[in-house]
Amino acid sequence: DIISDVSRSVSHLAQDKKIEIQQEYDTKSLLVSGDYGRLRQMFFIILDNAVKFSPVGSKIDISLNNRTVSIIDHGKGISEDDLPYIFDRFYKVRSEENKSGSGLGLAIAKQIADRHGVEISVSSRLGIGTEYKIKF
């Protein structure tokens, strides 16, 4: 429910950039114990970033497989130099898309994940895209 809720919330931003959000789940539901609002905020931050850093006309893939949610964008990616710091407070990758951000979003997402006993990780390749994995 949370993922569908967040996808609907972000869909207007994605539509403005003609980005298609594709969803694929290996189960109809995954029961977790936690704060719905905070988990929703965590997913919103990640999905909002995926839209923000994806080019017009691209797609974002969301999947749930084996208790792991993957959010994959096909955007510009994150450099290896920046990757270790993206969950740090106030850390911002310098780019045109990120000029208005505070540098707190991913730090908040990581904190929410940690407080729920959820593992969050990221991998990225420049020019190919970024994948966030949220393992319950």
Side-chain angles (χ1 to χ4, degrees), residues 16-27:
D16 291 345
K17 291 180 75 175
K18 296 177 178 53
I19 294 172
E20 179 183 1
I21 298 176
Q22 297 180 332
Q23 301 176 46
E24 183 179 313
Y25 309 123
D26 69 350
T27 182

Side-chain angles (χ1 to χ4, degrees), residues 38-100:
R38 288 300 196 187
L39 290 169
R40 183 188 185 286
Q41 181 183 18
M42 177 186 72
F43 281 111
F44 183 86
I45 289 166
I46 295 168
L47 193 53
D48 181 60
N49 276 357
V51 170
K52 182 165 133 179
F53 292 103
S54 291
V56 172
S58 62
K59 70 175 182 164
I60 295 170
D61 300 306
I62 303 172
S63 65
L64 169 61
N65 190 1
N66 197 24
R67 301 187 61 84
T68 301
V69 176
S70 294
I71 299 174
I72 302 171
D73 70 52
H74 303 277
K76 60 192 268 179
I78 303 167
S79 77
E80 286 186 32
D81 293 339
D82 290 318
L83 211 50
Y85 307 105
I86 65 167
F87 293 114
D88 292 352
R89 291 177 59 170
F90 303 113
Y91 187 82
K92 288 175 51 169
V93 175
R94 288 184 171 83
S95 71
E96 188 63 28
E97 299 90 351
N98 208 26
K99 61 183 174 188
S100 65

Side-chain angles (χ1 to χ4, degrees), residues 27-41:
T27 182
K28 287 192 178 252
S29 64
L30 173 64
L31 294 175
V32 296
S33 180
D35 182 323
Y36 183 96
R38 288 300 196 187
L39 290 169
R40 183 188 185 286
Q41 181 183 18

